[in-house]
Amino acid sequence: IFFYNVKVRAAHFPFLSLFFFIIFNFRFVPGVRQAAWLTKSKVISGLPPHLLSLAEMPENQLPDQNERVQNTIKHARFWVTTEARPGKEIYSNTLLLNLLHLCATQRSTHPAIGRRIFAEKYSLAATWKRGDDLFQIRGQNGLLQSSMDPLPEVCGKQEVADTSNHVLETFYPVSPTIDLQQVCVYKEMSSTGFTDDSPYPHAHTLYFLESTERQYRLHPEQFKAKMMMFTFGNALARAHKLYGSVLDCPITIQAVGTNGRIFQFLVFQLNTTDLSGDDGIKNQVWLDEDIELYDFAKVRPLIKKKQVKVTDIFIEDSTFSGRLINATLGNQFRNHNT
């Protein structure tokens, strides 16, 4: 889907597999499985329970939360345009920004929110080695929330140590890099996209919107792999910048992806920068997939039991709004000081 497998021909340049999220040749295996091998990661279904429990804490609840979330959906799907219906690109972006605005209204009770900013169109580059191959991911992923403070670790030392028992999938007899396009490069790049004196050096949450352009449209597994690869790339680039070649402590970064109705939530904990072999400590990925915020939205009348009702929106799960706001959408309220 989105990777260039780049080989440098000159003798003094290393062989390099370079990743850009603009090519669509990610066909032979599901994206998340291949991304797990490329990032030396253990993928865990669902989010950690202690993160989900944040949604049930009274101090993390918004007044009239469900109603306010429904209003943000209605605004994105019906009120943001004077046309009959807004395009997918418009309502997806509007919905995401509306939900982030709801999170920002909690700043008075959660001061840590004021220690973060949003950045767009920053350029990322990260390089690492797997086996005898050298890989690089670079490009722009969209919206990034950066923080003055790093996110706390999800797992402790013992749980991290236990990942050494996890066996990575190999896809034998097919090589995991079989479909990565090879190109020539002349520099092993590593950049967070921010200057050294940036007051917001820590990546907090990445936000992804599904593209509506046909040539850039991704299948669901490819979209999740894109989230995983860019989250890993951000963590690795920051590890190299903060700690050099040896990782002193794990780095945690989150990601949220949506098509305007269905959400994907991901938490990535970088436990090691020694990625060349399959043995030893593994990185960890928690992935909560295909969570529907609502069933559908339409403005045509719904006729039921001889009653005509103008249907605005049908919510799939009234508890999901709380989960989205408090526990996952940027995890705005999770901080090492709170």
Side-chain angles (χ1 to χ4, degrees):
I1 109 189
F2 19 50
F3 304 138
Y4 287 116
N5 188 339
V6 183
K7 287 199 173 181
V8 179
R9 301 299 182 185
H12 57 285
F13 291 119
F15 289 109
L16 177 64
S17 300
L18 180 62
F19 299 157
F20 294 92
F21 283 79
I22 58 176
I23 297 296
F24 302 92
N25 57 353
F26 201 81
R27 302 296 185 190
F28 83 106
V29 291
V32 172
R33 294 166 57 203
Q34 187 177 19
W37 184 90
L38 291 167
T39 61
K40 193 180 178 181
S41 299
K42 176 183 179 180
V43 179
I44 303 166
S45 179
L47 294 176
H50 66 280
L51 298 187
L52 292 176
S53 65
L54 293 173
E56 300 176 2
M57 298 174 62
E59 57 268 30
N60 291 338
Q61 298 289 328
L62 291 166
D64 302 320
Q65 182 167 278
N66 286 347
E67 180 182 356
R68 295 174 71 178
V69 170
Q70 291 188 42
N71 286 338
T72 64
I73 301 172
K74 292 176 182 179
H75 174 256
R77 294 304 306 261
F78 308 128
W79 306 333
V80 73
T81 180
T82 56
E83 300 177 358
R85 62 175 61 186
K88 184 176 181 180
E89 182 178 2
I90 294 176
Y91 73 70
S92 297
N93 185 65
T94 301
L95 177 60
L96 178 61
L97 295 179
N98 285 349
L99 292 171
L100 288 173
H101 176 72
L102 284 184
C103 295
T105 61
Q106 292 290 80
R107 180 172 177 176
S108 60
T109 55
H110 298 79
I113 296 176
R115 297 175 60 82
R116 303 165 192 158
I117 63 166
F118 289 100
E120 288 187 288
K121 297 184 178 180
Y122 73 101
S123 295
L124 170 74
T127 305
W128 73 101
K129 193 171 185 180
R130 287 286 283 131
D132 296 329
D133 296 318
L134 193 64
F135 300 93
Q136 186 177 91
I137 177 172
R138 73 182 190 216
Q140 298 179 353
N141 68 266
L143 186 64
L144 168 70
Q145 187 181 52
S146 289
S147 176
M148 293 182 178
D149 314 297
L151 278 171
E153 303 169 17
V154 177
C155 290
K157 293 182 179 180
Q158 185 56 51
E159 292 176 272
V160 171
D162 290 342
T163 62
S164 60
N165 299 324
H166 177 70
V167 178
L168 296 174
E169 190 171 2
T170 62
F171 311 107
Y172 180 83
V174 178
S175 169
T177 62
I178 189 174
D179 63 337
L180 306 190
Q181 183 179 352
Q182 299 179 3
V183 300
C184 293
V185 297
Y186 303 95
K187 185 178 181 181
E188 297 180 27
M189 299 179 62
S190 181
S191 172
T192 63
F194 293 83
T195 59
D196 294 338
D197 59 348
S198 171
Y200 303 91
H202 303 285
H204 187 283
T205 306
L206 285 74
Y207 300 94
F208 299 85
L209 295 175
E210 287 189 5
S211 176
T212 57
E213 299 182 38
R214 182 178 297 274
Q215 65 270 33
Y216 300 131
R217 192 174 300 164
L218 301 178
H219 295 295
E221 280 294 314
Q222 296 172 332
F223 183 68
K224 297 166 194 173
K226 175 181 178 179
M227 293 174 57
M228 186 171 170
M229 292 302 302
F230 265 109
T231 307
F232 162 77
N234 273 272
L236 186 63
R238 279 159 175 78
H240 288 160
K241 184 175 183 177
L242 295 174
Y243 305 113
S245 58
V246 179
L247 185 63
D248 291 344
C249 64
I251 293 178
T252 303
I253 300 180
Q254 305 168 151
V256 178
T258 183
N259 64 358
R261 188 179 73 88
I262 300 174
F263 283 76
Q264 320 291 338
F265 302 108
L266 183 147
V267 178
F268 192 101
Q269 180 167 302
L270 185 74
N271 296 321
T272 179
T273 54
D274 180 12
L275 305 169
S276 58
D278 290 347
D279 56 346
I281 299 297
K282 311 299 189 302
N283 299 311
Q284 294 167 287
V285 180
W286 291 265
L287 180 60
D288 206 2
E289 308 176 69
D290 304 327
I291 308 300
E292 294 185 353
L293 180 57
Y294 55 94
D295 273 336
F296 60 89
K298 64 179 183 180
V299 295
R300 291 178 298 178
L302 174 67
I303 301 177
K304 185 177 181 181
K305 294 182 179 179
K306 298 182 179 181
Q307 294 181 355
V308 179
K309 178 182 178 182
V310 177
T311 302
D312 284 332
I313 194 161
F314 286 86
I315 300 296
E316 170 71 15
D317 184 353
S318 61
T319 63
F320 174 63
S321 61
R323 178 182 182 185
L324 179 69
I325 293 295
N326 298 320
T328 50
L329 186 64
N331 239 331
Q332 299 281 3
F333 312 134
R334 185 162 70 95
N335 187 273
H336 70 293
N337 292 324
T338 58

